[in-house]
Amino acid sequence: MRRSSTHRFSALFPPKSYMLASKTVSPTHPPSVFNIFFWEIVVNEANFVRKCIAAESSQDDLWGKLICTNFKISFITHNSIPQQKFQYVHHLLGEHDIPLACVDQVVTVNDAKGKQKVLGSNQKLKFNPTELILYCKDFRIVRFRFDEAGPESAKKVCLAIAHYSQPADPQLLFGFEFAQSRQYGSSGNIIERVNGVDPGGGCQTPLFDRPSDWDREIKRTGASEWRVCSINEGYTVSPSLPEYFVVPASMADLDLKQYACSYTGQRIPMWCWNHSNGSSLVRMSSICDVQQQRKLDQRVSSAITKSHPQRSEVLTSDLDKTLPSIQEVQAALIKLRQSCVIEPFEESEEKWLSSMENSRWTEYVRAFLRHAVEVVYMLEGKRVSVSLQEEEDRDLCCVVASLVQLMLDPHCRSLVGFQALVQKEWVMAGHRFLDRCNHLKKNDKEEAPLFLLFLDCVWQLMNQYPAAFEFTETYLTVLSDSMWIPVFSTFLFNCPQQRAEYSREFVHSKSIPLGNEQALKFPPVWDWSQQFTLKDQTLFNNPLYVGKGATCVQNGTVKTFRRTKQRNYSSTVRGVPSALKNGLRGDVDTLSRRNSLVARLRPDFSQAREVTETPCERFTREWFSRPTDLQGLLLPQLLPTHVTLWRLYFLRWVPEASISQGGAITAFHKLSLLADEIESLQNQLRQYNTSGGVGGTPASTPNPAHPEHGRMYFKCTPSPNRAASTPEYLSSSFPFSPVGNLCRRSILGTPLTKFLNGAKIWLSTETLANETV
Amino acid sequence: SRSDRSSQAKPASAMSSDSASTNELSPELRVIRSLKLYFYETFFFMKKMSFFFACKYLAKDVTYICPFIGALRGTLTVTNYRLFFKCMDRDQSLALDIPLGVVSRVEKIGGTSSRGEVSYGVVCKDMRNLQFAHRQPDDTLKKSIFEVLMKYAYPISNSLAFFAYDYEQIFPENGWKVFDALAESKRQGLPNESWRISKVNDHYELCDSYPSTLVVPVTIPDEDLRRIAAFRAKGRIPVLSWIHPETQATVVRCSQPMVGVNSKRCKEDEKLLQAIMDANAQSHKLFIFDARPSVNATANKMKGGGYESEDAYQNAELVFLDIHNIHVMRESLRKLKEVVYPNIEESHWLSNLESTHWLEHIKVILAGALRIADKVESGKTSVVVHCSDGWDRTAQLTSLAMLMLDSHYRTIRGFEVLVEKEWVSFGHRFQMRIGHGDKNHTDADRSPVFLQFIDCVWQMIRQFPTAFEFNEYFLITILDHLYSCLFGTFMCNSEQQRLKEELPKKTLSLWSYINSQLEEFTNPFYVNYSSHVLFPVVSMRHLELWVGYYIRWNPRMRPQEPVHQRYKELLAKRSELQKRVEELRREVANKAASLTSERAGSPTRSITPVQTFV
């Protein structure tokens, strides 16, 4: 059982935690609280700052104090945001807080002088700013005005924000302070860690930092011809590989050590996953020693072949040749951001579709999904092992390896399975999160949103198969946002070795007594109670999920609810008045219905053969002609009509794009109520079954699992008569609130609103960068 | 006996010849039988319908050139209702079944091939094209596919009766009774102290394209209405479509005023608009929404039309909504078809879609409706809506605004009423815009006005998945029967014509069919909360091409995994659990009862009822 999270943070909010309370606070609008961590330092602050809420008037603007700490930018106000109806509680961040790591660009403006400047670290500012615009990596844009603030303090706070959001040294990232405070707390007690999970964290995610995690994964996938190897203990062989990983059983440690020298980054081929048919997925870097290439290829291939029960050959999939480079992916995101949040809403409407196309973001999403489908075909269709190859094996391989497993392995579609997947193929495999997130703002060329791209791919699968995943798009979104809260080990380092090294150095420089521990222990992001209440965490649970632990599959009844219908997707062959093929009709229903205008033909497109069809396309087409088993292989539809913009993620901060009381969340709400009702019924049944036989009165015992601990965020009301209507605070941005971001407002989302009086302020980041004074 | 029944059911003339022609085909009777067997398995109405179907043509060894699969050999049958192609290849179970109503154009493609085959293209109104190849019959007396289709696909051009007159099916409900103008007025609380029901158009003398029942301000007598009719294009005077139950703000529709170049005025018309404003105490303004771009409205002055000048109509504000005319829309749909059929070009999909401007037009229409709804709801102001004639863009705007304002229209029956009222009764010229049974496929009066309306509704369904009682399939079914000519609902151009043709007597209503199987068309997520106004986000960021309709013929367009299905599964699970809980509850109660009776000495105590959450 999960421990209540309220106590967890008492240690983090020691005496310094204070509240700026005003005398006249309306009870419905509590003042924002300024929480400060034990090791957090206030760097600078300015009073009488205005946070802009709307562009066309300053009427709703909030007045308060702008504070820059070494962790975040806070805005303390006594006002409440108008129109905001919902705000989830974040344990680490207040309503107006922006973590420094989330700041992409700091722009200062003096509108009287017509000057603006993109502020870098340690730069000078020759004018007094009247305005500060923060462009955030999570697509928010926040604007502050200093009309009433002292010019000097305004300037200072801007410079502080610019400086601290671009730390020169990884040790200045707040994570180190956080880990330190967390480990020792104010009371100095070391928090115990059991298998990578904090007690009470309620999270069973394996971190793959110990052999047992790999052993379990080998057993789970039935990879009997593979073994855990520990030659990299202490990172002596490869700096970017984990200490423990899995290799063919036939390969000796000595050989592995010898081969390592010939691979880029000494990355010996590393096992990812095994198919139940025996074929395996392996990832590796390129061989840098050209003379050794042939010999090595042969040896490694034969070893992988030996690990295949049918001794099938190994196919190599070269990702560098077929997929976009990380720079291209980064360029795509910049363009996408430009269209989504930076360009004026109305002006970008006309060319919206072509600007989406020009950004190439969804094109890249499709490319990665397509590549993963091809690998799936080799593993499943051709039953051969596949080795993914990329020069460094630390970027594209992460995306493809994890997508392949998501499609093939239903375990990866559960919450714990997904987190284990990210841990295995991203964190432990040495994806350069520090560089790709550009936390240190050192090298913009290294910045690339590959993890976001991966999450987008997952979202596409989820969008096409809403019942196949245990988690929701809200989960994917907050997971992505967690990248910009630099306290989680998950996204803070380039590889496990770097984590060990940096924390050792930090401990050394601060002369921290470590006791029995080797190094500072950074919390992984997977303990979600660090960020959210148990109640808010239920937003991660998908009411539709069909899988282990799903509401609907307990007591082994899943079979009766499995989709058995024949898919009617080829309406060409059907009579008109033809039917919608969206599966709104079950075939069983149709058969018994007399007045149906729909022809009950069984479309068979096994003959729908195009001349140029590749074996993989044939494999895909045949798969699509069969009913989907959500607990089996899942293939995405790759047509551009089916791979769409992830609206929740990219548009959640745009007020004009927020559908009030609409969006998919309203259907989700209805579903949640039903799932919750089913859950409570099941609990009642369980009660009867456990205590009913004794002849007592089972009903007198309180229901243990209801209503506080249900899986669903939305609870069904106990009264059966009142139809649950859609809560007013739901919107297509839920659980995020676009109000107060982007400094624009829309009235009920109508296009009547004229916004952007000062349109020229809303120049693109590129333009701004060029105009640097 | 079969033909007896059918000839009883309809005027003898057409049907007797039909049955005769069926008998003539005796050599192929065996094929017909097997086909009929197939029909029995396949189509609901075949059992009954095959009596009414008259096989006009049957040809074996026809090649259907499927754009997705390639050439398929099979048998082509043409009846007076449909075109049916059954593939006879061994392992193909493909069949095409298309009501002739969707046929827009039939053409010969190229000359005769070396094998003596001629190719025919069939352009359909529902976003697809078909191509058949068949050997030219040696016997010159025999008709070719081309000739048969040219005859039976165009009953109007060939002075034949529509199949709708032959179609007989018993439905539990009569869909023609769904809409009753007086009942709908009553639902809206009309007549009231400010609005009366006028019988001035009872015999369609005032305006032949308007319904007989009109709601007008009490202060305007019928003689004034007659004068106004002379001032408004086609006599389509301002009448009430919808009234806000609380604020009394109204949606009023009409056609353009005939002001012309000389800025003619009409005192009665000005008085009428003032009366509309006065009927709403909440606001001292009136908004006139002219659906057209202002350039078009001005150009109409040359033809005697135009728009209200704000000098003549005091306290009225005129707003142009920039919706383009039927010709622009037709062209846009033509381009859209080019882009989506048969295949989409993957690499340039979005820019190709953009170049059709289809979604942009959808956006402008929705934006106009949203402005109207916003004025009525938020501004509490009455609005007058018109375009040129007031039967295309006006119908789109008023019906969409009413859908946003009034949750009743978001139910299945309410939506049927909305279509019957704002489109059918107010004289949207379905016959002309669709060109039912007319071979003149280049007719400039054809335009996808109603399709755009349904598309807009679909966009709203997407944005508010719980606000509508009906589902996507409902909308597609309506569109399919817009063209099929199976039901009388969308035939003719006006209420007057429909009565003259006795459509309610001689044909069936689409709503009869739909209301007989509501479950098919019901959205399981529907949450009925009344008096809730929907304000969709009218932005390209949320508008989408309706793939499930426009690209449904492409077999690769596999629909996304349906959430509805899963929801139904969960519902089933719930009722199963409820049953089991209830059983156990009873069991326990019985046990407890027997226990208390055993313990005779113990005091009787009422059994604690089991707490249920549902």
Side-chain angles (χ1 to χ4, degrees):
Chain A
M1 268 286 103
R2 288 174 171 174
R3 198 180 67 177
S4 161
S5 60
T6 42
H7 302 297
R8 160 170 303 276
F9 289 91
S10 53
L12 300 177
F13 305 137
K16 270 181 95 178
S17 173
Y18 60 92
M19 184 192 255
L20 298 165
S22 88
K23 286 167 204 159
T24 52
V25 178
S26 84
T28 46
H29 301 296
S32 48
V33 178
F34 181 55
N35 280 322
I36 189 158
F37 294 112
F38 190 66
W39 293 89
E40 194 175 350
I41 306 154
V42 173
V43 177
N44 215 309
E45 54 186 46
N47 279 305
F48 308 110
V49 177
R50 226 169 72 200
K51 181 176 175 175
C52 303
I53 296 300
E56 78 268 33
S57 82
S58 55
Q59 177 188 323
D60 291 322
D61 288 356
L62 310 176
W63 290 90
K65 181 193 250 184
L66 183 64
I67 304 173
C68 173
T69 78
N70 57 344
F71 168 57
K72 63 179 184 263
I73 300 154
S74 268
F75 181 71
I76 311 303
T77 180
H78 305 156
N79 316 122
S80 60
I81 298 185
Q83 296 172 24
Q84 178 156 332
K85 290 165 186 154
F86 180 84
Q87 173 81 36
Y88 62 87
V89 180
H90 197 287
H91 287 327
L92 303 179
L93 296 165
E95 195 179 2
H96 298 281
D97 290 357
I98 303 162
L100 287 167
C102 188
V103 175
D104 192 37
Q105 214 164 31
V106 181
V107 179
T108 46
V109 181
N110 183 311
D111 42 15
K113 291 182 179 167
K115 285 184 174 172
Q116 46 203 347
K117 180 172 179 173
V118 181
L119 273 187
S121 178
N122 262 331
Q123 273 188 321
K124 281 180 182 164
L125 189 57
K126 287 178 189 158
F127 57 86
N128 287 323
T130 53
E131 203 168 292
L132 169 71
I133 308 172
L134 299 174
Y135 292 86
C136 301
K137 289 186 171 175
D138 62 0
F139 278 49
R140 269 184 297 176
I141 301 172
V142 184
R143 186 161 67 141
F144 297 102
R145 286 196 62 90
F146 302 115
D147 301 305
E148 309 293 324
E152 272 308 306
S153 68
K155 195 173 184 173
K156 275 183 184 159
V157 81
C158 289
L159 289 170
I161 288 169
H163 184 72
Y164 278 84
S165 62
Q166 297 164 62
D169 189 289
Q171 292 198 5
L172 294 175
L173 283 172
F174 188 68
F176 289 88
E177 309 281 356
F178 183 78
Q180 188 185 356
S181 69
R182 198 169 176 275
Q183 201 152 6
Y184 301 100
S186 50
S187 53
N189 294 328
I190 295 176
I191 296 166
E192 282 298 321
R193 210 183 67 136
V194 181
N195 192 22
V197 181
D198 295 303
C203 149
Q204 286 84 47
T205 305
L207 298 181
F208 293 97
D209 58 350
R210 56 200 64 214
S212 54
D213 289 344
W214 290 103
D215 264 328
R216 265 192 293 275
E217 186 72 354
I218 286 175
K219 286 206 183 75
R220 191 183 70 79
T221 58
S224 51
E225 297 296 314
W226 297 80
R227 67 177 180 94
V228 184
C229 103
S230 52
I231 55 166
N232 203 33
E233 260 177 4
Y235 309 101
T236 50
V237 173
S238 167
S240 67
L241 282 177
E243 286 190 282
Y244 309 100
F245 54 93
V246 175
V247 295
S250 60
M251 284 175 101
D253 279 358
L254 214 63
D255 289 339
L256 287 170
K257 276 184 190 166
Q258 192 202 326
Y259 297 161
C261 323
S262 307
Y263 282 94
T264 308
Q266 293 79 51
R267 288 176 70 99
I268 318 157
M270 181 175 132
W271 173 87
C272 303
W273 183 79
N274 245 54
H275 192 285
S276 55
N277 67 19
S279 51
S280 36
L281 182 68
V282 178
R283 55 190 285 179
M284 62 175 84
S285 62
S286 64
I287 298 166
C288 49
D289 186 345
V290 188
Q291 287 168 346
Q292 295 285 314
Q293 186 157 9
R294 206 145 172 216
K295 194 181 98 191
L296 265 184
D297 268 343
Q298 267 175 6
R299 294 231 175 130
V300 170
S301 291
S302 76
I304 298 173
T305 302
K306 269 186 202 160
S307 295
H308 194 291
Q310 277 86 46
R311 305 287 180 265
S312 288
E313 55 169 335
V314 187
L315 292 180
T316 304
S317 176
D318 190 339
L319 306 187
D320 288 319
K321 281 184 189 151
T322 48
L323 289 168
S325 70
I326 59 160
Q327 288 83 12
E328 284 170 315
V329 174
Q330 170 71 2
L333 187 75
I334 288 173
K335 281 188 191 157
L336 187 65
R337 176 189 314 206
Q338 183 73 24
S339 313
C340 285
V341 297
I342 293 176
E343 272 171 18
F345 189 85
E346 277 302 316
E347 285 162 46
S348 55
E349 277 286 286
E350 197 185 331
K351 291 279 161 213
W352 174 257
L353 293 175
S354 50
S355 67
M356 283 296 103
E357 185 174 294
N358 291 338
S359 81
R360 309 189 76 174
W361 179 261
T362 44
E363 183 189 326
Y364 293 159
V365 168
R366 286 168 56 215
F368 276 92
L369 284 169
R370 174 172 295 124
H371 199 100
V373 167
E374 276 160 20
V375 176
V376 165
Y377 158 68
M378 295 182 212
L379 291 165
E380 163 107 10
K382 292 187 79 171
R383 309 166 81 91
V384 297
S385 296
V386 179
S387 84
L388 303 174
Q389 204 165 44
E390 182 195 357
E391 176 158 17
E392 279 208 303
D393 178 32
R394 296 172 73 177
D395 290 304
L396 310 180
C397 274
C398 302
V399 184
V400 175
S402 26
L403 284 178
V404 167
Q405 292 172 60
L406 267 172
M407 291 176 195
L408 280 165
D409 190 345
H411 172 72
C412 298
R413 296 175 220 139
S414 71
L415 184 69
V416 168
F418 180 76
Q419 298 187 153
L421 181 71
V422 172
Q423 194 65 33
K424 185 174 70 161
E425 300 301 342
W426 291 80
V427 183
M428 281 300 143
H431 177 66
R432 302 172 183 273
F433 276 109
L434 184 67
D435 293 346
R436 299 290 172 257
C437 292
N438 204 8
H439 282 317
L440 302 179
K441 314 268 192 310
K442 261 188 183 156
N443 189 353
D444 288 348
K445 278 180 193 150
E446 292 287 317
E447 187 172 344
L450 275 184
F451 191 65
L452 177 63
L453 182 92
F454 164 64
L455 295 181
D456 197 328
C457 292
V458 179
W459 180 82
Q460 304 291 346
L461 279 164
M462 191 184 264
N463 188 40
Q464 295 187 18
Y465 303 98
F469 291 84
E470 188 179 10
F471 44 92
T472 58
E473 64 172 326
T474 302
Y475 168 79
L476 294 180
T477 311
V478 299
L479 177 58
S480 168
D481 287 346
S482 304
M483 274 198 284
W484 316 118
I485 307 173
V487 299
F488 309 114
S489 62
T490 318
F491 305 120
L492 216 45
F493 304 101
N494 281 336
C495 56
Q497 181 269 342
Q498 193 187 46
R499 175 169 81 163
E501 184 192 321
Y502 280 8
S503 57
R504 218 170 28 241
E505 279 172 13
F506 184 77
V507 166
H508 187 74
S509 68
K510 297 266 165 130
S511 318
I512 302 164
L514 272 177
N516 299 330
E517 294 285 330
Q518 293 293 303
L520 274 185
K521 292 294 180 192
F522 288 88
V525 73
W526 313 127
D527 178 3
W528 289 102
S529 58
Q530 295 171 104
Q531 295 190 60
F532 302 103
T533 61
L534 284 180
K535 165 78 177 162
D536 284 351
Q537 283 177 59
T538 54
L539 281 168
F540 299 168
N541 296 332
N542 176 9
L544 285 167
Y545 179 54
V546 187
K548 281 181 197 157
T551 311
C552 214
V553 293
Q554 284 165 7
N555 311 327
T557 51
V558 65
K559 281 236 160 99
T560 49
F561 295 97
R562 193 71 65 73
R563 287 161 48 86
T564 49
K565 67 183 287 280
Q566 167 80 29
R567 198 168 304 286
N568 290 326
Y569 65 91
S570 49
S571 301
T572 331
V573 297
R574 249 196 277 133
V576 169
S578 97
L580 168 75
K581 323 124 295 173
N582 264 1
L584 302 180
R585 40 182 44 257
D587 264 19
V588 187
D589 296 356
T590 321
L591 286 167
S592 58
R593 194 169 295 116
R594 281 177 299 122
N595 289 342
S596 170
L597 273 174
V598 179
R600 289 187 300 270
L601 291 178
R602 305 189 69 203
D604 177 13
F605 261 85
S606 55
Q607 302 294 311
R609 193 175 300 127
E610 281 155 44
V611 191
T612 53
E613 193 178 61
T614 65
C616 176
E617 282 163 359
R618 188 189 158 80
F619 168 77
T620 315
R621 180 172 49 71
E622 282 174 356
W623 183 84
F624 274 114
S625 71
R626 292 189 297 268
T628 313
D629 174 9
L630 293 178
Q631 281 300 293
L633 170 66
L634 282 190
L635 292 181
Q637 171 65 270
L638 293 170
L639 288 166
T641 45
H642 287 64
V643 177
T644 55
L645 182 73
W646 182 10
R647 290 198 180 88
L648 178 71
Y649 185 85
F650 293 109
L651 298 177
R652 62 195 156 136
W653 306 119
V654 184
E656 297 92 329
S658 174
I659 307 168
S660 177
Q661 293 193 62
I665 190 71
T666 53
F668 178 91
H669 169 253
K670 183 111 196 265
L671 271 163
S672 299
L673 298 184
L674 182 58
D676 184 57
E677 212 179 317
I678 288 173
E679 203 178 327
S680 76
L681 281 168
Q682 281 170 334
N683 284 329
Q684 284 182 54
L685 271 182
R686 212 166 295 132
Q687 267 176 271
Y688 277 118
N689 290 339
T690 51
S691 60
V694 195
T697 49
S700 57
T701 52
N703 193 335
H706 196 83
E708 291 84 11
H709 299 287
R711 275 179 71 246
M712 291 301 116
Y713 184 80
F714 301 105
K715 307 281 178 207
C716 65
T717 45
S719 88
N721 301 326
R722 218 182 59 209
S725 65
T726 309
E728 241 187 56
Y729 55 78
L730 290 187
S731 78
S732 59
S733 295
F734 183 88
F736 308 96
S737 172
V739 180
N741 292 295
L742 212 63
C743 337
R744 299 194 208 135
R745 179 182 56 178
S746 69
I747 297 163
L748 294 165
T750 67
L752 313 177
T753 326
K754 287 174 191 151
F755 41 80
L756 288 172
N757 285 343
K760 61 172 182 285
I761 292 165
W762 292 95
L763 295 172
S764 67
T765 39
E766 282 101 331
T767 326
L768 284 169
N770 294 338
E771 284 177 21
T772 303
V773 182
Chain B
S1 64
R2 286 171 179 180
S3 43
D4 287 348
R5 226 199 122 223
S6 48
S7 38
Q8 277 164 15
K10 57 175 293 321
S13 55
M15 200 59 207
S16 53
S17 64
D18 288 348
S19 30
S21 63
T22 317
N23 293 333
E24 275 166 19
L25 290 161
S26 50
E28 277 120 342
L29 207 60
R30 226 175 299 151
V31 183
I32 295 176
R33 279 226 182 95
S34 65
L35 260 178
K36 269 193 179 161
L37 259 175
Y38 188 70
F39 282 156
Y40 275 106
E41 292 164 9
T42 319
F43 306 111
F44 87 93
F45 43 46
M46 283 320 292
K47 198 170 178 184
K48 273 189 174 155
M49 288 310 303
S50 53
F51 312 139
F52 306 108
F53 271 153
C55 187
K56 301 298 184 187
Y57 180 80
L58 191 144
K60 290 194 275 188
D61 289 332
V62 174
T63 309
Y64 164 53
I65 299 143
C66 174
F68 309 109
I69 306 174
L72 297 164
R73 306 287 284 178
T75 311
L76 182 82
T77 317
V78 178
T79 73
N80 53 349
Y81 173 60
R82 66 177 73 208
L83 176 158
F84 186 79
F85 174 83
K86 170 83 180 88
C87 177
M88 292 301 177
D89 285 357
R90 261 167 294 113
D91 34 41
Q92 278 288 359
S93 57
L94 181 137
L96 275 177
D97 178 18
I98 296 163
L100 294 177
V102 307
V103 174
S104 170
R105 172 165 35 139
V106 187
E107 59 192 358
K108 284 187 191 173
I109 303 170
T112 312
S113 74
S114 54
R115 292 171 61 199
E117 284 194 333
V118 187
S119 284
Y120 307 99
V122 180
V123 178
C124 299
K125 294 170 182 173
D126 60 356
M127 306 296 285
R128 58 180 158 168
N129 299 330
L130 309 170
Q131 198 180 333
F132 296 101
H134 185 46
R135 217 141 57 106
Q136 196 71 8
D138 304 327
D139 186 352
T140 44
L141 291 173
K142 273 195 174 174
K143 284 175 180 170
S144 68
I145 300 178
F146 180 73
E147 289 164 306
V148 171
L149 282 178
M150 283 305 282
K151 184 172 178 193
Y152 293 103
Y154 305 123
I156 289 255
S157 307
N158 295 301
S159 311
L160 297 170
F162 277 108
F163 180 73
Y165 293 103
D166 297 340
Y167 175 45
E168 286 220 337
Q169 170 88 15
I170 311 294
F171 290 111
E173 189 186 321
N174 182 359
W176 290 112
K177 297 221 157 81
V178 160
F179 172 64
D180 171 15
L182 288 174
E184 169 59 15
S185 295
K186 202 177 162 201
R187 187 191 70 85
Q188 294 191 18
L190 299 167
N192 62 15
E193 66 277 9
S194 307
W195 297 88
R196 69 183 177 95
I197 288 165
S198 167
K199 291 278 168 195
V200 68
N201 202 36
D202 226 7
H203 302 289
Y204 308 103
E205 283 156 347
L206 182 87
C207 171
D208 60 3
S209 62
Y210 255 16
S212 59
T213 307
L214 300 175
V215 182
V216 294
V218 282
T219 50
I220 309 295
D222 283 354
E223 48 268 38
D224 281 4
L225 296 179
R226 288 196 188 90
R227 273 185 216 109
I228 295 164
F231 180 66
R232 291 277 169 180
K234 310 280 195 302
R236 295 172 67 92
I237 61 169
V239 296
L240 179 142
S241 273
W242 190 77
I243 183 162
H244 195 290
E246 281 152 26
T247 66
Q248 305 285 298
T250 50
V251 177
V252 172
R253 62 181 289 174
C254 57
S255 61
Q256 63 180 341
M258 301 304 282
V259 294
V261 277
N262 300 323
S263 301
K264 252 185 2 196
R265 287 175 65 163
C266 170
K267 230 173 31 209
E268 290 79 7
D269 193 70
E270 288 159 26
K271 194 174 132 198
L272 172 58
L273 262 60
Q274 184 64 42
I276 294 166
M277 196 185 321
D278 293 343
N280 168 18
Q282 305 271 345
S283 174
H284 302 292
K285 274 199 99 162
L286 182 72
F287 272 85
I288 302 172
F289 286 101
D290 189 325
R292 303 165 290 184
S294 62
V295 189
N296 299 25
T298 311
N300 260 290
K301 284 191 171 179
M302 305 303 293
K303 295 185 238 161
Y307 50 87
E308 295 82 355
S309 80
E310 286 175 12
D311 298 336
Y313 297 86
Q314 300 211 332
N315 302 321
E317 197 176 320
L318 184 71
V319 180
F320 293 103
L321 294 176
D322 282 324
I323 303 171
H324 284 282
N325 63 27
I326 55 166
H327 312 293
V328 176
M329 302 308 188
R330 183 179 58 240
E331 181 58 15
S332 176
L333 184 67
R334 189 191 62 76
K335 281 190 194 152
L336 182 67
K337 188 169 174 180
E338 265 176 18
V339 169
V340 301
Y341 192 87
N343 285 303
I344 62 167
E345 195 195 328
E346 292 196 23
S347 51
H348 296 106
W349 162 242
L350 289 176
S351 50
N352 284 345
L353 178 61
E354 187 173 272
S355 69
T356 69
H357 299 291
W358 182 256
L359 285 179
E360 216 178 300
H361 293 314
I362 295 293
K363 179 187 157 172
V364 176
I365 294 165
L366 268 172
L370 183 62
R371 291 181 73 163
I372 293 168
D374 185 56
K375 269 283 164 287
V376 172
E377 173 69 20
S378 317
K380 299 175 180 171
T381 308
S382 294
V383 297
V384 172
V385 186
H386 70 73
C387 46
S388 296
D389 292 322
W391 51 44
D392 292 317
R393 286 169 277 196
T394 302
Q396 288 175 333
L397 289 169
T398 55
S399 53
L400 285 170
M402 286 156 75
L403 202 59
M404 293 171 195
L405 289 163
D406 191 338
S407 61
H408 173 67
Y409 297 125
R410 293 175 224 142
T411 63
I412 290 180
R413 283 166 194 280
F415 189 79
E416 291 167 359
V417 167
L418 184 71
V419 170
E420 284 286 346
K421 179 175 150 65
E422 289 304 298
W423 291 86
V424 176
S425 86
F426 270 101
H428 172 68
R429 311 227 275 173
F430 280 106
Q431 170 63 47
M432 191 175 244
R433 295 287 176 252
I434 309 300
H436 291 311
D438 188 346
K439 70 178 172 190
N440 184 14
H441 61 83
T442 55
D443 188 352
D445 276 325
R446 293 194 186 176
S447 190
V449 176
F450 188 72
L451 168 65
Q452 282 182 320
F453 161 66
I454 297 290
D455 194 328
C456 290
V457 176
W458 180 80
Q459 304 286 352
M460 284 178 69
I461 286 185
R462 294 279 295 178
Q463 295 197 14
F464 301 98
T466 60
F468 293 84
E469 193 192 8
F470 48 86
N471 57 23
E472 185 182 23
Y473 179 51
F474 174 74
L475 298 179
I476 291 183
T477 305
I478 289 175
L479 286 178
D480 281 340
H481 291 295
L482 173 66
Y483 307 117
S484 76
C485 297
L486 186 61
F487 299 101
T489 303
F490 299 120
M491 292 170 73
C492 296
N493 288 322
S494 66
E495 191 176 289
Q496 185 195 28
Q497 280 183 18
R498 258 170 226 111
L499 283 181
K500 202 177 143 211
E501 298 289 328
E502 296 180 285
L503 284 182
K505 274 187 207 158
K506 292 183 175 170
T507 69
L508 291 168
S509 163
L510 171 60
W511 317 126
S512 306
Y513 162 62
I514 283 181
N515 293 348
S516 71
Q517 42 183 359
L518 287 175
E519 200 209 334
E520 283 282 290
F521 303 107
T522 304
N523 168 21
F525 295 126
Y526 177 54
V527 179
N528 180 18
Y529 40 101
S530 51
S531 69
H532 174 64
V533 181
L534 298 184
F535 289 112
V537 171
V538 183
S539 154
M540 293 308 288
R541 285 152 170 86
H542 283 289
L543 299 183
E544 271 178 65
L545 185 77
W546 187 6
V547 171
Y549 179 74
Y550 297 106
I551 323 189
R552 60 182 161 153
W553 310 121
N554 187 335
R556 291 182 68 201
M557 290 293 156
R558 175 190 153 101
Q560 313 217 333
E561 198 64 20
V563 179
H564 301 80
Q565 186 62 31
R566 175 78 181 139
Y567 188 77
K568 281 182 183 163
E569 290 165 11
L570 289 174
L571 282 177
K573 177 80 184 170
R574 178 180 66 178
S575 54
E576 180 202 313
L577 284 168
Q578 278 170 337
K579 222 175 87 192
R580 277 163 63 189
V581 167
E582 181 58 24
E583 275 167 13
L584 281 166
R585 192 189 67 80
R586 269 201 224 113
E587 203 177 293
V588 168
N590 288 342
K591 240 182 223 168
S594 59
L595 273 177
T596 36
S597 58
E598 275 168 28
R599 288 186 220 135
S602 64
T604 26
R605 182 167 63 86
S606 64
I607 296 147
T608 327
V610 175
Q611 188 193 0
T612 37
F613 288 94
V614 283

